[in-house]
Amino acid sequence: MNSIIAIDPGASGGIAWRDREGIVQAVPMPDGMTATVDLLRSLAAQMPGLRATMEKVGTYMPGNSGPSAVTFAGHCDGLRWAMYALGIPQEREPTARAWQKWLGVPVEAPLPKDMDAKARRAELAARKRRRKAYVEEAMQRRHPHLRVTLKTADALGILAYAERGTA
């Protein structure tokens, strides 16, 4: 059986997979690259034929500082290299928009162009919270055996999207 691990990269992300018994598991992103590689190595050993899909990230996000963007990009590349070194093939990376649309996350109307910057930032933050809450609730309903958190919800959504034709 070819298994898939789904990765929502970043310190507040997570990793989700379906174990050998067919039960979905999810954990917050481990602290540090060593713990992350140890988890990936363990999963690869337990599930021959393991493949991975990681959310496509890395485009510029207004408001993010340059140094934090570089740190995040380095983390994402570290994950890719770790999977390569462990022999875990990587599937096409879905965008957040693609898997969230498939999941049915409501799309909100565009913001007015004349909205002031402070109000725009506040509204964008509120929209992000609503999207995250929707995904968390949807994944908790789908996986009642898990304690779904904001850190694991997106990884579970990415897994559901990746398995959409197979599970």
Side-chain angles (χ1 to χ4, degrees):
M1 170 168 95
N2 280 344
S3 299
I4 298 172
I5 56 172
I7 302 173
D8 174 24
S12 62
I15 301 175
W17 68 95
R18 187 175 299 276
D19 66 21
R20 290 180 294 195
E21 288 77 38
I23 299 169
V24 172
Q25 306 291 334
V27 296
M29 185 62 65
D31 289 331
M33 192 51 77
T34 301
T36 303
V37 170
D38 287 346
L39 173 61
L40 293 172
R41 181 183 294 118
S42 173
L43 292 173
Q46 294 171 33
M47 297 180 287
L50 181 66
R51 299 171 293 139
T53 187
M54 184 167 72
E55 184 177 65
K56 184 176 183 174
V57 294
T59 58
Y60 175 72
M61 294 294 293
N64 286 358
S65 72
S68 66
V70 169
T71 299
F72 181 65
H75 172 73
C76 292
D77 280 344
L79 287 168
R80 288 183 187 99
W81 280 108
M83 289 185 285
Y84 176 81
L86 293 169
I88 303 171
Q90 296 163 59
E91 303 282 308
R92 179 176 223 152
E93 298 179 335
T95 63
R97 183 169 292 184
W99 70 261
Q100 288 175 5
K101 179 180 179 183
W102 175 83
L103 191 62
V105 175
V107 177
E108 299 189 50
L111 295 175
K113 292 193 186 293
D114 61 346
M115 184 180 250
D116 73 86
K118 186 175 180 180
R120 178 177 289 278
R121 281 192 305 275
E123 179 57 25
L124 289 173
R127 287 178 178 207
K128 182 177 181 178
R129 284 191 302 276
R130 289 192 291 269
R131 281 193 310 273
K132 293 277 188 187
Y134 182 96
V135 172
E136 184 179 14
E137 290 169 18
M139 292 300 99
Q140 188 62 72
R141 284 191 305 274
R142 186 178 282 238
H143 305 292
H145 68 285
L146 293 176
R147 182 178 175 275
V148 177
T149 67
L150 288 175
K151 288 189 172 205
T152 60
D154 283 5
L156 289 164
I158 296 163
L159 179 65
Y161 178 80
E163 292 183 334
R164 66 193 179 279
T166 61

